[in-house]
Amino acid sequence: MSATPNYIDNLKKNGDFLSLSRANEWHLDASECQLANGTKVSVHDTGVIEFQPSVKTNKDIVLSSAIHGNETAPIEICDQLIKAIFSGELELAQRVMFIYGNPQSINIDKRFVEENLNRLFNGHHTVDGLAMNNERNRAAKLEHYVSDFFARGEAGSARCHYDLHTAIRGSKNDKFAVYPYLHGKPWKKSQLQFLHSCGVNTVLMMKSAATTFSYYSSYVHGADSFTVELGQVKPFGENDMTKFAKTKETLIALITQNDVQYKEFNADDFELFSVHRSINRTQQDFSFPFPDDAVNFTGFAKGELLATDGQTCYYADVEGEAIIFPNADVAIGQRALLTVVPLEINDNFK
Ligand SMILES: [Zn+2]
């Protein structure tokens, strides 16, 4: 039995895939249609929609949002792009798949329902002895849809995946991107140029495997893949969309142009960091010496206190060691703080 029979005609008229996904939180039957300009539309599931233009393409692009449901700005950007594709206002030059990761968490205005989706990728959704839940099932399905999308691409097409988020707290550097661990492969200047065009000049290079969606696409599918943090979390309708104009324009160029020309690479345009260490909460009694609203990338002098975990005190052991994603309320055993140190452009970039 289909939960939403004949939704495709309505969708073709209004392009409102976001509302359709929110009305079908964990499942939507697959369906297809074709737009007047020849673009083939495939709905694979709730929150998962693919557009295949009739022209020859050279990129397979995945744009995901709502991996955390209360991070609304990127959801609004993707909603606008999808509607503009349906209306014919945007003519695609590339294959693109949009993903709203967790529709139920959008509806309840929370980061997640039972479990943080971005801790479940790269196989971490299915663990011996742990019961499945909706988010674990969803992570497994999203991996499948991404695999299938890339597998059906033209041979030789470039693969990219931008997983769009907003941060819980403010950041000294309003927008920043996380470059997943590449296992020794060089970082790409061309990707930094794309990020710069999006208004992102701060990039954090990871140094270990992760459970994130972007790491999955990078590691498993060789995609140029990033977690992109576009600013601070705000409720729907309260985002100042002018702050996201550069990002939206750059994404439009990416999906509607054959070969986008970005500003020439200049190392001075960027602030790069590499991960220094991860501090886990192991005790009930865990605290930070800085206020709750301390922003991401706040730097500390060598020797300054960073965190107290029961009897253990963590001090900055490098001048300028900076904090990212501090969260004293994580479950015991999970990461409470990531620290980073500045990184120079070197031979590891191509
Ligand atoms: Zn997020």
Side-chain angles (χ1 to χ4, degrees):
M1 281 265 291
S2 167
T4 315
N6 305 322
Y7 68 79
I8 200 77
D9 291 338
N10 245 337
L11 178 63
K12 208 173 154 182
K13 274 184 221 131
N14 62 23
D16 194 353
F17 187 61
L18 177 57
S19 296
L20 180 65
S21 297
R22 293 182 64 171
N24 296 272
E25 292 178 330
W26 298 106
H27 175 79
L28 181 64
D29 286 344
S31 192
E32 289 184 349
C33 67
Q34 195 162 34
L35 305 182
N37 60 17
T39 296
K40 186 180 162 200
V41 182
S42 307
V43 173
H44 295 292
D45 197 343
T46 186
V48 185
I49 189 166
E50 173 185 337
F51 297 95
Q52 166 85 58
S54 53
V55 296
K56 189 167 163 53
T57 61
N58 59 18
K59 290 190 192 77
D60 299 323
I61 301 164
V62 177
L63 298 176
S64 54
S65 62
I67 293 301
H68 296 135
N70 61 345
E71 299 177 0
T72 54
I75 302 172
E76 289 185 62
I77 293 172
C78 291
D79 176 47
Q80 290 166 2
L81 297 184
I82 290 171
K83 283 178 176 155
I85 294 168
F86 270 106
S87 73
E89 183 194 327
L90 292 182
E91 285 266 2
L92 292 177
Q94 307 295 353
R95 292 177 74 224
V96 55
M97 185 160 78
F98 289 89
I99 294 174
Y100 297 123
N102 193 336
Q104 187 173 52
S105 75
I106 303 175
N107 288 344
I108 62 171
D109 190 25
K110 292 271 195 277
R111 210 167 147 70
F112 52 84
V113 182
E114 285 180 78
E115 215 174 342
N116 183 348
L117 201 50
N118 225 14
R119 300 257 191 280
L120 298 176
F121 289 99
N122 207 36
H124 287 76
H125 42 75
T126 307
V127 180
D128 265 355
L130 273 184
M132 295 300 278
N133 57 32
N134 281 329
E135 270 132 347
R136 287 180 174 268
N137 284 320
R138 181 71 172 164
K141 285 182 189 173
L142 293 182
E143 288 185 358
H144 163 76
Y145 296 128
V146 169
S147 287
D148 175 58
F149 175 73
F150 284 138
R152 286 182 288 100
E154 298 265 345
S157 273
R159 295 172 172 183
C160 59
H161 176 187
Y162 303 109
D163 183 33
L164 308 173
H165 291 247
T166 52
I168 298 173
R169 58 182 66 216
S171 174
K172 218 174 115 222
N173 311 57
D174 181 40
K175 296 181 172 59
F176 65 97
V178 178
Y179 209 143
Y181 180 46
L182 297 181
H183 297 263
K185 284 187 286 179
W187 296 303
K188 289 186 184 171
K189 289 178 181 171
S190 58
Q191 288 297 312
L192 297 188
Q193 289 170 278
F194 162 80
L195 291 170
H196 183 265
S197 176
C198 286
V200 177
N201 67 357
T202 304
V203 185
L204 171 57
M205 278 55 180
M206 301 304 280
K207 291 203 295 198
S208 57
T211 59
T212 59
F213 204 9
S214 64
Y215 174 78
Y216 164 76
S217 294
S218 169
Y219 180 63
V220 176
H221 300 294
D224 293 316
S225 183
F226 292 83
T227 305
V228 187
E229 302 278 356
L230 293 175
Q232 202 171 357
V233 167
K234 296 267 168 61
F236 272 119
E238 290 182 25
N239 293 300
D240 174 0
M241 294 309 280
T242 60
K243 287 188 175 169
F244 306 103
K246 284 178 84 173
T247 305
K248 188 178 161 190
E249 280 164 27
T250 303
L251 292 176
I252 289 174
L254 180 74
I255 63 180
T256 61
Q257 295 180 25
N258 195 256
D259 186 26
V260 188
Q261 294 300 315
Y262 299 110
K263 179 177 174 282
E264 200 179 326
F265 182 81
N266 178 354
D268 294 340
D269 288 338
F270 299 95
E271 272 200 82
L272 306 180
F273 295 89
S274 64
V275 171
H276 184 59
R277 57 179 160 166
S278 178
I279 294 174
N280 285 2
R281 178 187 187 185
T282 69
Q283 304 293 322
Q284 192 59 38
D285 176 23
F286 184 96
S287 65
F288 296 122
F290 43 81
D292 279 348
D293 58 358
V295 296
N296 276 331
F297 296 102
T298 299
F300 287 79
K302 189 172 175 181
E304 275 191 281
L305 182 67
L306 294 177
T308 307
D309 182 34
Q311 300 298 309
T312 308
C313 292
Y314 290 94
Y315 300 97
D317 57 13
V318 178
E319 189 61 32
E321 186 169 357
I323 56 168
I324 305 275
F325 305 131
N327 185 354
D329 292 330
V330 292
I332 288 178
Q334 288 204 348
R335 185 183 80 198
L337 178 68
L338 197 62
T339 77
V340 299
V341 291
L343 175 80
E344 297 296 319
I345 303 263
N346 54 25
D347 292 347
N348 292 331
F349 291 80
K350 75 163 191 196

